[in-house]
């Protein structure tokens, strides 16, 4: 069965960096894009962008350029999200999801807390 | 950019029918997908391309899309349907567009 398993919770200080992972199984990894989305406290889901698992090309939503980097390791069917120069407003749950239109399978989410 | 508008909240009595709207310009020309997120859980796709249910989603969930409004209808509402619901479309400029989400209270 299709599964996306994400890495565990992270507690970071402002200015630090963090890398989250999303390991896919149960399907051909390179056949579907991987999306990243965020749910900040008290807010709705936000789409952050996607990465093409065939060529590694990343596309970022307007609010997620600069400090956010998507990457892949296709040898282990895993996508990564790196966030640098963390700010308190980066606090939230980050989800990976398979596919774009629609995103049909989702990871369980990774809680990132940014606190002094 | 393309915008989707959802009501902040919808309430429904147990066993009754809930309808959640998703407004967008000429949305009928787009495929609309609906995502459910229960408290503390990962999102789940409940409808895709307006009317299609993924495997495991009850028949109580149905959809329609006409004019400027798409609808998610939940028949015979159960306590377990309480969740935030998001509509989503694809746009050639904005790519993935999400509605603001609707909190369904049963």
């Amino acid at each position: 069965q299709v599964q996306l398993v994400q890495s565990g919770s992270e507690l970071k200080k402002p200015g630090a960096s963090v890398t989250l992972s999303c390991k896919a199984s149960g399907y051909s990894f390179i056949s579907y894009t991987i999306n990243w989305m965020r749910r900040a406290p008290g807010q709705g889901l936000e789409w952050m962008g996607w990465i093409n698992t065939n060529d590694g090309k990343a596309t970022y939503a307007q609010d997620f350029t600069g400090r956010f980097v998507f990457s892949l390791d296709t040898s282990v069917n895993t996508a990564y999200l790196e966030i640098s120069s963390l700010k308190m407003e980066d606090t939230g749950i980050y989800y990976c999801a398979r596919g774009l239109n629609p995103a049909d399978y989702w990871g369980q989410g990774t809680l990132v807390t940014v606190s002094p | 950019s393309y915008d989707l508008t959802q009501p902040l909240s919808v309430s429904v009595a147990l066993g009754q029918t809930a309808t959640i709207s998703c407004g967008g310009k000429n949305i009928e020309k787009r495929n609309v997908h609906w995502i459910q997120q229960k408290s503390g859980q990962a999102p789940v796709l409940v409808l895709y391309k307006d009317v299609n249910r993924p495997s495991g989603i009850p028949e109580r969930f149905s959809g329609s899309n006409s004019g400027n409004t798409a609808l998610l209808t939940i028949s015979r509402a159960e306590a377990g349907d309480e969740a935030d619901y998001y509509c989503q479309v694809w746009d050639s400029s904005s790519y993935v567009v999400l509605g603001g989400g609707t909190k369904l209270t049963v």
Side-chain angles (χ1 to χ4, degrees):
Chain A
Q1 73 282 21
V2 175
Q3 280 193 306
L4 297 173
V5 179
Q6 297 186 237
S7 48
S9 298
E10 300 274 2
L11 174 60
K12 295 289 184 182
K13 294 190 182 304
S17 296
V18 69
T19 299
L20 316 181
S21 67
C22 169
K23 183 172 177 59
S25 61
Y27 72 98
S28 172
F29 184 64
I30 60 172
S31 294
Y32 294 84
T33 60
I34 293 288
N35 281 279
W36 289 93
M37 306 210 196
R38 178 176 76 184
R39 186 155 192 192
Q43 304 295 315
L45 278 173
E46 298 175 272
W47 180 68
M48 301 174 65
W50 89 77
I51 186 163
N52 185 321
T53 51
N54 274 300
D55 60 14
K57 180 183 175 185
T59 300
Y60 301 93
Q62 192 169 7
D63 289 344
F64 295 95
T65 57
R67 299 187 297 114
F68 301 84
V69 177
F70 307 147
S71 61
L72 300 170
D73 185 342
T74 55
S75 69
V76 290
N77 293 345
T78 300
Y80 301 94
L81 164 61
E82 181 184 6
I83 312 171
S84 58
S85 303
L86 281 162
K87 304 176 181 181
M88 292 179 65
E89 52 263 40
D90 294 325
T91 293
I93 303 176
Y94 291 78
Y95 296 97
C96 61
R98 185 185 84 159
L100 281 172
N101 192 27
D104 57 0
Y105 287 90
W106 296 66
Q108 84 278 18
T110 296
L111 173 63
V112 175
T113 304
V114 184
S115 179
Chain B
S1 65
Y2 189 79
D3 294 317
L4 295 173
T5 302
Q6 295 183 239
L8 281 176
S9 63
V10 168
S11 294
V12 63
L14 205 60
Q16 297 304 301
T17 297
T19 301
I20 298 173
S21 62
C22 175
K25 186 176 182 180
N26 294 323
I27 198 172
E28 66 178 356
K29 297 184 185 300
R30 301 174 186 264
N31 289 319
V32 179
H33 318 300
W34 290 91
I35 299 158
Q36 174 197 66
Q37 187 173 28
K38 297 181 182 179
S39 180
Q41 297 187 24
V44 171
L45 181 70
V46 293
L47 280 180
Y48 64 97
K49 295 182 181 179
D50 301 338
V51 300
N52 298 284
R53 283 176 289 105
S55 173
I57 302 302
E59 292 182 8
R60 300 184 298 104
F61 288 79
S62 63
S64 64
N65 187 3
S66 179
N68 295 317
T69 306
L71 297 175
L72 169 67
T73 300
I74 306 171
S75 305
R76 303 182 299 282
E78 301 176 357
D81 297 331
E82 234 179 48
D84 294 322
Y85 290 84
Y86 299 86
C87 55
Q88 183 235 312
V89 301
W90 172 265
D91 178 74
S92 58
S93 299
S94 308
Y95 307 116
V96 173
V97 180
L98 289 163
T102 298
K103 182 176 181 60
L104 177 67
T105 301
V106 181

